[in-house]
Amino acid sequence: MLDWLLQKLPEQHRQKAHDILVLTRMDRPIGALLLLWPTWWALWLAANDFPPWKMLVIFTLGVFAMRAAGCAINDFADRKLDPQVARTAGRPIASGRVTPREALIVFAGLLVFAFLLVLLTNPLTIKLSFIGAVLAALYPFTKRYTDMPQVVLGAAFGWSIPMAFAAVQNSVPPLGWLLFIANILWSVIYDTEYAMVDREDDLKAGARSTAILFGDADVPIIGVLMGTFVVAMVMVGTRAKLGWPYWVAVLATIGLFGWQQWLIRNRQRDACLAAFRHNNWLGLTLWIGIALALAVR
């Protein structure tokens, strides 16, 4: 797909452009989708219906820009760690195809683009965007100083939620913060599943994660987090007075979590990675439930 997109570029620039796109994970949209669904949950709930087109376009573009920026700074921070992990040794910086300086330039450029988008909103959203930028830059370095970098990831990935409410309502109501907390729980769930893939390599390299922190209690702890997330989303539905389509989506979410638990039961790498990717369908399911519940009011 990337080769097709880049075929019109001069040949001397094609490989570098390809490496930059891989650096920003444009070849793997799953991470952007996991950021997009909560943003859309927030936009629909903030608008209490289909959100204004302007905000939908701004936040959708912003999601992809910030996710790409986060990947660039993540690989910069992990430039000495990635070569020690089998799954990440081929990344552009780890393999020498992109320099750390180039990664920082890409990161800065994407931040500027995202900030230009935010300037089209309102003063409260602009103020909140500075916190989002700090969280995005901070997360990759937390793997060295805390056993729960997934919580920081959840805050970084979920900061679009209060920003979306601020952009639509010019305030962040309790519903917005409740949804933000729910998203942190969900992020810890799926990123712990992701970290289970690299647990042995991370232990050797000295990286830290919730997968290492939880140890052999990882599967039941993820189950508890799943239950807590469902409770939080039930609270979201009752506070927002959502109708039956949303509750069907919540029931489907419980079923999807059950399937993830089955996948990770033996802690096999491929199964844990499949469980992580499966969360895309969970986010989509909840967004459909929210959108339909608001549409049929």
Side-chain angles (χ1 to χ4, degrees), residues 156-286:
F157 264 34
W159 198 250
S160 59
I161 292 172
M163 286 181 63
F165 275 91
V168 174
Q169 298 185 3
N170 201 27
S171 66
V172 186
L175 177 63
W177 294 115
L178 176 60
L179 194 63
F180 174 67
I181 292 169
N183 184 72
I184 291 178
L185 291 167
W186 185 39
S187 300
V188 174
I189 291 164
Y190 64 66
D191 206 52
T192 300
E193 293 170 342
Y194 191 68
M196 289 168 71
V197 177
D198 297 329
R199 178 158 40 198
E200 300 306 318
D201 290 333
D202 284 345
L203 281 168
K204 294 175 184 176
R208 300 159 80 172
S209 71
T210 46
I212 294 172
L213 175 66
F214 297 162
D216 59 6
D218 49 3
V219 175
I221 291 176
I222 289 174
V224 171
L225 290 170
M226 288 173 170
T228 308
F229 171 77
V230 169
V231 170
M233 294 309 290
V234 166
M235 294 172 66
V236 167
T238 54
R239 181 175 285 272
K241 297 181 174 59
L242 297 177
W244 65 266
Y246 178 74
W247 301 109
V248 172
V250 170
L251 289 174
T253 295
I254 295 171
L256 293 170
F257 273 151
W259 177 241
Q260 289 179 33
Q261 278 285 308
W262 176 258
L263 286 173
I264 66 176
R265 69 193 187 284
N266 295 322
R267 302 175 177 84
Q268 295 177 350
R269 288 192 175 197
D270 289 345
C272 291
L273 188 58
F276 160 74
R277 290 172 174 163
H278 188 260
N279 282 279
N280 173 50
W281 303 111
L282 190 149
L284 171 62
T285 297
L286 285 169

Side-chain angles (χ1 to χ4, degrees), residues 142-156:
T142 58
K143 301 172 191 176
R144 290 150 185 78
Y145 305 109
T146 175
D147 292 317
M148 294 191 290
Q150 282 70 24
V151 175
V152 182
L153 174 75

Side-chain angles (χ1 to χ4, degrees), residues 37-99:
W37 300 130
T39 304
W40 280 13
W41 301 346
L43 283 171
W44 259 258
L45 288 170
N48 207 30
D49 199 349
F50 197 98
W53 275 106
K54 177 183 175 182
M55 294 306 159
L56 183 58
V57 171
I58 288 171
F59 276 85
T60 300
L61 290 176
V63 159
F64 284 90
M66 287 305 297
R67 191 262 178 161
C71 291
I73 195 64
N74 180 79
D75 283 11
F76 172 81
D78 288 349
R79 63 192 183 279
K80 295 181 181 178
L81 174 64
D82 280 346
Q84 304 176 57
V85 178
R87 186 180 53 80
T88 60
R91 286 179 175 174
I93 297 179
S95 60
R97 304 195 312 275
V98 173
T99 67

Side-chain angles (χ1 to χ4, degrees), residues 126-142:
I126 293 170
K127 291 174 184 175
L128 289 173
S129 72
F130 288 103
I131 300 175
V134 171
L135 287 170
L138 180 65
Y139 160 67
F141 300 95
T142 58

Side-chain angles (χ1 to χ4, degrees), residues 25-38:
R25 309 291 195 278
M26 291 301 178
D27 58 330
R28 298 181 181 181
I30 178 66
L33 292 173
L34 291 173
L35 179 53
L36 180 67
W37 300 130

